[in-house]
Amino acid sequence: MKSASTVAAPAAWQRLLRGRHIAEQLQRRLDEWAPSLFGFTLLKIDPLSAALSLDKSRLLHSVQMGQVGVAEAELLGDATAMPFAPGSLDACLLAHVLDYSEHPHAILRETEVVLRDDGWLIITGFNPYSSAGLARLLPALRHRLPPWQRMLAPGRLEDWLKLLGFDVIKQDYLGLTGLFDFPLLGQWRRRFCPHYCPSLAAVYIIMARKRRYPLTPIRQLKPLPRALQPGMACQRE
């Protein structure tokens, strides 16, 4: 029996449960968010990220990095020790990368290092407390989803991002089916789900921005002049 640490990330969206539908919905969100992104270099990690597009952004160049065992990538590397100089990337896309990693927090720390100040980070993942988590319990569907222990709840991920100095700019939540994608239901979901019931959604997509606030030294305070100078006070007789 394979342990959670030996499960490999899928090489294509079709190998995920409802993967084609999820990829289409995620691509729509990326098309909506992309115009606000600008810079030179976008990093996509692993095949699921490479299959998504940010062509509508103002990012000039994209690099596809595959981790060990991933074929057809422009370069191979470890997401916990990326072959990039600190502050050299403008944006990074992690499509379900954390779901299949033994060290998701280490990946986030490394991403924070290689991103420039005000750089963008886009993450997608499965919510363990949702229909995706329940589907993982079914033997027939288990191999088409990441291990339940590897799925990160969106609230937990947001806490990690804030600790690393990221601001969550945008977020959205998707289901495994298109049941809530009809016009009226879709508007209701996009308006209320992120605020009131994010834990019920199977898939989430979060866009965060790295923030660095320079430390301003405290201005040295000049000593206040004495209120009383010698000779100003006299004893009353």
Side-chain angles (χ1 to χ4, degrees), residues 62-73:
S62 66
V63 177
Q64 299 176 10
M65 187 186 83
Q67 300 190 77
V68 177
V70 178
E72 299 182 358

Side-chain angles (χ1 to χ4, degrees), residues 59-87:
L59 295 164
L60 301 180
H61 179 65
S62 66
V63 177
Q64 299 176 10
M65 187 186 83
Q67 300 190 77
V68 177
V70 178
E72 299 182 358
E74 295 179 348
L75 61 92
L76 295 178
D78 189 344
T80 63
M82 299 184 196
F84 301 100

Side-chain angles (χ1 to χ4, degrees), residues 34-102:
S36 63
L37 277 62
F38 60 88
F40 185 74
T41 305
L42 162 69
L43 174 65
K44 300 178 180 180
I45 298 181
D46 286 346
L48 299 185
S49 302
L52 298 175
S53 170
L54 281 169
D55 291 342
K56 294 186 178 182
S57 70
R58 290 173 288 168
L59 295 164
L60 301 180
H61 179 65
S62 66
V63 177
Q64 299 176 10
M65 187 186 83
Q67 300 190 77
V68 177
V70 178
E72 299 182 358
E74 295 179 348
L75 61 92
L76 295 178
D78 189 344
T80 63
M82 299 184 196
F84 301 100
S88 60
L89 302 178
D90 297 283
C92 183
L93 176 59
L94 304 175
H96 296 284
V97 175
L98 303 182
D99 286 336
Y100 289 91
S101 172
E102 296 180 66

Side-chain angles (χ1 to χ4, degrees), residues 226-235:
R226 292 183 179 180
L228 297 177
Q229 297 295 335
M232 292 179 62
C234 61
Q235 184 178 2

